[in-house]
Amino acid sequence: MKQISRRGVLAGATAASVWSGGFPTIWAQNIKDVTLIHAGPPVTAIPAIGEQASKDLGFTIRMQAVENQDLLNRFLSQSTSLDVADVSISFLRYLVGRNVLQAVPLAKYKYWDKTIPLFTKGEYPDGRKASKQGISPFSVLYATGPDGQKQATEPTEWVTGIPSITNADTLGLRPDLTGRPVNSWADLISPDFKGKTALQDSPTIGVIDVAMALEARGDVKYGNKGNMTRPEIDKTIDLMMEIKKSGQFRSFWTSFDQSVNLMASGEVVIQSMWSPAVTAVRTRGIPCTFQPLKEGYRGWAYTFAPMKHLSGLKLDCFYEYMNWYSAGFQGAFIAREGYYCGVPENAKKFLTPAEWDYWYDGKPAATEIKDPFGKVMEKVGGVRDGGAFWNRMGNIAVWNSVMDEDRYLTRRWTEFITA
Amino acid sequence: MTAAQQAITQEAGGRATWRRPAMPSWAISWLQVSPLAIILVVLFALPTLLFLAVSFFDYDRTGIYPAFIFDNYKDLFTTPATWRLYVSSLKFAVIVWGITLVVGFSIAHFLIFHVRTAAMRTLLFLLCAVPFWTSGIIRTIAWIPFLGRNGAFNSTLIWLGLTSHPLDFLLFSDFAVIITYVHLFTLLMVGPIANAMSKIDPALLEAARDSGASRWQIMTNVVIPLSKTGIVLGSILVFTQVMGDFFVVKQMSGGQSASIVSALSTEINGMQYPPAAASAMLLVVFVAVMVAGMMRIVDVRRELVG
């Protein structure tokens, strides 16, 4: 905590010198009363980030944390009750064209040329094309015009939101309890771990983890794991029901806390998991790894987008907040949760060299590494699972998705869970 | 009568006369039921009508569209999952009903007929209710560390040498779900039954004994018939709780089995409101029919008034 506040003061000092020079006084007086409500999931809409932003910017940012689908509901049904949205890339399938969001003109964004090419071009820094299975950030990022109601397939002057967070998910495991090395998604359904595995109970993410496992074991070959055909869904679910009946799964979890407790208590030794959940298990002193697997990762991303109703002064404030958001404080904060931001070189300014080396470069920890709330999560000498940024993000097999056949998938998934 | 007293009487009389003729008795009745009626209409009847309407709507990923189609019901009735869910929920409901009935009836019987002093009875009742001072969610979750693979119960069994490795069926299983339901809902059975029993005139029991009835005959011919109302009310409470449950099944089965409501929530999470509305309608109708059936066994209204 001490480290953060020291850094916060530094950030405040640099920010103050930047912002106060930039605007006429009338602006500074007008914005005092502006409040932007920023809604997102609990792992990103963090009050400490809002407080720092308010301090640096001179207007108020209020964070509102809402879980998954409730958040999407809120965007759709009460879009004027918030101003800024953390939008999961896969939610864009529901949101674009619904007059909920507006596009961001790239001219207003300072850091576009520094944004990682995975977002801006759909490729890696070495020029390799990234996976297009599922909903890849590049495929939904650009808008055809300033209203942002339609997605463009090629780069344009407008984006549906600013790339803010991304990560590569894999299976979490208890290395002390698995009893053997795990290196494939197929291990999720391996009889070696019968009764000791868990899945996320969600037809959107859970089914992709399942597909990774089935494909790795050689049961099914998918055209696009992130957008399955009906026969592929049928085959997947039928196989999964067989595996479930054999007693493979200990549990199906729905919340972050459940996944942490399953792992920490040893009920489960291998399961689909999120990065901050792995961190949470480790801060309890229990060994837990976010295991890199040879078939690659399941990627996901968030953008930071203005709601449709913003205009005038409030919209100007949004653009200021947007540029602040990418300037590094937020990127450094979420780095300690194990997430990556859209402009890593800015985040670097707000991380200690040891933190940068650990989180982004995959080097052994030179000092103790702490989570965002000041608890030690890695001892000196420890190395991040999966290594450096591009080793992890450079190996995305499939992105989180909302499939074309999502109606059918939901029905079959319910069948699987009830079987 | 002093002037002051006269004034008071007059005022009292005056108020009474001001109230009565201005308000016909039917109006007073309406006024009396209106708070509950308003709550029920606004928070239950209107939303239910809304669900009914939406259950016939069409939908896609981006929205729901007013229509009058039966597809949602067709999907609902043709999915094997629906039948499995109802069978599994009914199974839980019947098992839990049976256990809570026996346990609840015994506790109520003990409290009313065996505990002699009123103070002791109140104290014991309070002890039954104490766990309810914490929320149901906490009482549910508390079972997890107790029943888990490395939990308190398994550790004790191993320590006592009764088993060599932890029993997995204790947690994330039907067993865990039923234990939690019984723990949560037994008091719902105890309350109404104890209430019904407390209305039984002890003289009746004495008369039965004097006429030579055995304990068992007293139980079957006097106590049970006179506690019928409480038994039915308790059964309705337990039954509707189990059928409408979302949390316990999800937590305690570890997501291994689903309840009707948790399947419905999967649909809501997929932004598929019309099929969710159709599922909700089916559940409302099903539970209403079951409750109506129980009400036919005993005329609860008459018994409550009497």
Side-chain angles (χ1 to χ4, degrees):
Chain A
M1 235 33 225
K2 218 175 98 206
Q3 271 191 323
I4 290 171
S5 58
R6 178 181 57 78
R7 212 173 289 112
V9 172
L10 280 178
T14 42
S17 59
V18 174
W19 305 126
S20 61
F23 306 104
T25 6
I26 182 111
W27 162 266
Q29 276 169 359
N30 281 346
I31 60 167
K32 273 202 323 278
D33 304 325
V34 172
T35 298
L36 292 179
I37 295 173
H38 180 166
V43 286
T44 66
I46 298 163
I49 296 177
E51 280 161 27
Q52 187 62 45
S54 307
K55 222 185 298 171
D56 292 349
L57 293 169
F59 51 88
T60 310
I61 305 293
R62 234 180 40 232
M63 292 289 184
Q64 287 187 356
V66 188
E67 295 258 13
N68 311 326
Q69 301 297 328
D70 293 338
L71 185 65
L72 178 57
N73 259 322
R74 177 119 184 257
F75 293 159
L76 285 168
S77 57
Q78 300 158 50
S79 64
T80 53
S81 72
L82 63 141
D83 305 305
V84 186
D86 279 330
V87 184
S88 161
I89 291 284
S90 44
F91 283 177
L92 283 172
R93 282 202 88 162
Y94 297 102
L95 294 171
V96 169
R98 294 289 294 279
N99 261 324
V100 175
L101 301 171
Q102 58 176 298
V104 176
L106 285 180
K108 295 277 185 192
Y109 187 47
K110 286 191 199 166
Y111 304 110
W112 189 246
D113 49 348
K114 292 181 178 174
T115 304
I116 50 176
L118 191 54
F119 283 99
T120 58
K121 300 194 189 101
E123 57 186 46
Y124 298 121
D126 58 14
R128 278 184 305 130
K129 287 281 172 205
S131 169
K132 285 184 181 144
Q133 291 198 36
I135 301 184
S136 69
F138 175 75
S139 70
V140 290
L141 194 59
Y142 291 96
T144 53
D147 63 350
Q149 297 309 305
K150 209 166 173 285
Q151 273 138 347
T153 48
E154 288 302 314
T156 63
E157 290 304 299
W158 302 276
V159 284
T160 50
I162 295 301
S164 55
I165 302 165
T166 186
N167 201 11
D169 279 2
T170 181
L171 297 175
L173 51 96
R174 282 282 299 268
D176 54 329
L177 299 179
T178 47
R180 69 166 173 85
V182 168
N183 58 18
S184 166
W185 281 86
D187 287 320
L188 182 66
I189 49 177
S190 155
D192 293 357
F193 305 118
K194 193 169 150 185
K196 293 178 181 171
T197 69
L199 263 189
Q200 184 174 358
D201 178 8
S202 124
T204 48
I205 299 174
V207 82
I208 297 181
D209 286 348
V210 162
M212 290 294 288
L214 289 175
E215 198 173 53
R217 202 173 72 172
D219 292 305
V220 191
K221 182 89 192 94
Y222 296 93
N224 179 349
K225 286 183 286 295
N227 199 6
M228 298 179 192
T229 60
R230 271 191 187 224
E232 283 172 344
I233 292 173
D234 283 337
K235 199 155 178 211
T236 307
I237 299 286
D238 291 345
L239 278 166
M240 288 315 289
M241 291 206 271
E242 258 173 55
I243 296 169
K244 184 184 175 189
K245 281 196 182 119
S246 77
Q248 180 71 10
F249 300 107
R250 181 69 170 148
S251 180
F252 299 93
W253 57 266
T254 35
S255 75
F256 177 88
D257 295 349
Q258 279 176 308
S259 74
V260 172
N261 289 330
L262 284 171
M263 211 61 168
S265 64
E267 295 291 339
V268 157
V269 301
I270 175 170
Q271 65 169 349
S272 43
M273 216 170 172
W274 301 342
S275 169
V278 174
T279 308
V281 175
R282 292 170 72 130
T283 53
R284 297 191 190 177
I286 296 164
C288 184
T289 51
F290 208 31
Q291 185 63 38
L293 303 167
K294 61 181 182 217
E295 295 85 9
Y297 292 87
R298 177 174 50 70
W300 55 266
Y302 271 77
T303 58
F304 174 90
M307 302 310 286
K308 185 90 199 167
H309 68 91
L310 289 185
S311 63
L313 185 62
K314 259 190 142 176
L315 186 58
D316 288 339
C317 285
F318 166 80
Y319 292 137
E320 288 310 313
Y321 180 38
M322 169 181 86
N323 284 316
W324 179 90
Y325 203 74
S326 297
F329 181 85
Q330 175 265 356
F333 199 98
I334 60 158
R336 298 181 194 104
E337 292 182 284
Y339 293 157
Y340 303 116
C341 64
V343 191
E345 61 182 275
N346 283 348
K348 191 173 184 175
K349 299 176 205 161
F350 289 79
L351 290 165
T352 64
E355 284 179 320
W356 172 266
D357 288 348
Y358 177 80
W359 291 113
Y360 272 89
D361 276 353
K363 292 181 191 156
T367 63
E368 278 184 340
I369 301 294
K370 291 177 178 161
D371 78 354
F373 308 101
K375 277 196 256 173
V376 175
M377 62 77 57
E378 182 72 273
K379 294 189 279 284
V380 175
V383 182
R384 179 170 193 178
D385 311 318
F389 179 40
W390 287 117
N391 286 345
R392 300 181 77 249
M393 290 310 294
N395 194 14
I396 302 288
V398 57
W399 297 90
N400 279 2
S401 179
V402 172
M403 304 189 189
D404 292 333
E405 291 285 357
D406 60 341
R407 276 165 81 151
Y408 186 66
L409 175 61
T410 304
R411 277 175 59 199
R412 296 290 334 251
W413 183 263
T414 303
E415 256 180 74
F416 164 57
I417 293 293
T418 57
Chain B
M1 204 182 265
T2 66
Q5 275 175 324
Q6 218 169 1
I8 289 167
T9 334
Q10 243 176 11
E11 202 192 299
R15 211 189 263 162
T17 44
W18 169 76
R19 269 204 167 179
R20 261 180 214 136
M23 278 261 187
S25 60
W26 60 263
I28 293 176
S29 310
W30 276 103
L31 210 62
Q32 282 172 329
V33 298
S34 64
L36 184 61
I38 290 169
I39 289 172
L40 283 179
V41 167
V42 174
L43 297 180
F44 178 71
L46 290 180
T48 307
L49 286 176
L50 193 69
F51 289 148
L52 183 64
V54 172
S55 69
F56 293 104
F57 281 16
D58 196 5
Y59 70 103
D60 63 18
R61 184 177 300 106
T62 53
I64 59 177
Y65 310 102
F68 190 74
I69 53 169
F70 289 91
D71 295 27
N72 301 317
Y73 287 99
K74 208 184 89 199
D75 284 354
L76 183 63
F77 287 114
T78 53
T79 306
T82 308
W83 304 109
R84 267 207 298 268
L85 284 171
Y86 274 83
V87 168
S88 125
S89 292
L90 269 177
K91 182 190 76 188
F92 281 132
V94 168
I95 295 173
V96 172
W97 172 76
I99 299 176
T100 53
L101 179 61
V102 172
V103 175
F105 187 91
S106 313
I107 295 175
H109 194 266
F110 177 80
L111 285 175
I112 301 299
F113 297 114
H114 292 258
V115 177
R116 299 198 183 261
T117 66
M120 191 54 160
R121 193 174 300 149
T122 315
L123 182 74
L124 290 176
F125 233 122
L126 218 60
L127 280 180
C128 286
V130 162
F132 286 73
W133 294 356
T134 48
S135 84
I137 291 178
I138 298 196
R139 277 179 295 138
T140 304
I141 293 176
W143 282 102
I144 295 177
F146 182 74
L147 296 174
R149 196 172 269 151
N150 306 312
F153 192 66
N154 265 321
S155 308
T156 311
L157 288 183
I158 292 170
W159 183 72
L160 291 173
L162 294 174
T163 168
S164 57
H165 41 251
L167 305 173
D168 278 348
F169 78 88
L170 292 175
L171 184 60
F172 301 142
S173 59
D174 289 357
F175 172 81
V177 174
I178 289 168
I179 270 222
T180 313
Y181 276 146
V182 169
H183 173 215
L184 289 178
F185 300 146
T186 298
L187 195 70
L188 298 180
M189 207 53 119
V190 175
I193 296 179
N195 186 46
M197 283 178 175
S198 68
K199 288 184 189 156
I200 298 174
D201 188 345
L204 278 177
L205 304 184
E206 232 169 277
R209 245 189 315 269
D210 290 349
S211 321
S214 68
R215 284 171 69 107
W216 178 248
Q217 281 172 319
I218 295 175
M219 184 64 91
T220 51
N221 292 329
V222 183
V223 178
I224 291 179
L226 288 175
S227 320
K228 246 182 355 189
T229 329
I231 292 172
V232 170
L233 279 178
S235 304
I236 291 173
L237 290 178
V238 170
F239 183 80
T240 49
Q241 289 286 321
V242 174
M243 292 304 286
D245 170 60
F246 167 68
F247 189 76
V248 174
V249 164
K250 201 142 207 174
Q251 284 289 326
M252 300 312 290
S253 77
Q256 300 275 9
S257 23
S259 67
I260 298 167
V261 182
S262 71
L264 201 155
S265 94
T266 306
E267 286 168 336
I268 293 175
N269 285 341
M271 308 298 287
Q272 300 172 5
Y273 293 111
S279 308
M281 287 317 298
L282 179 63
L283 179 60
V284 167
V285 169
F286 185 81
V287 172
V289 167
M290 297 296 284
V291 170
M294 291 190 215
M295 298 289 247
R296 280 187 74 99
I297 301 172
V298 178
D299 185 350
V300 173
R301 248 184 320 177
R302 203 195 63 213
E303 303 264 345
L304 277 183
V305 173

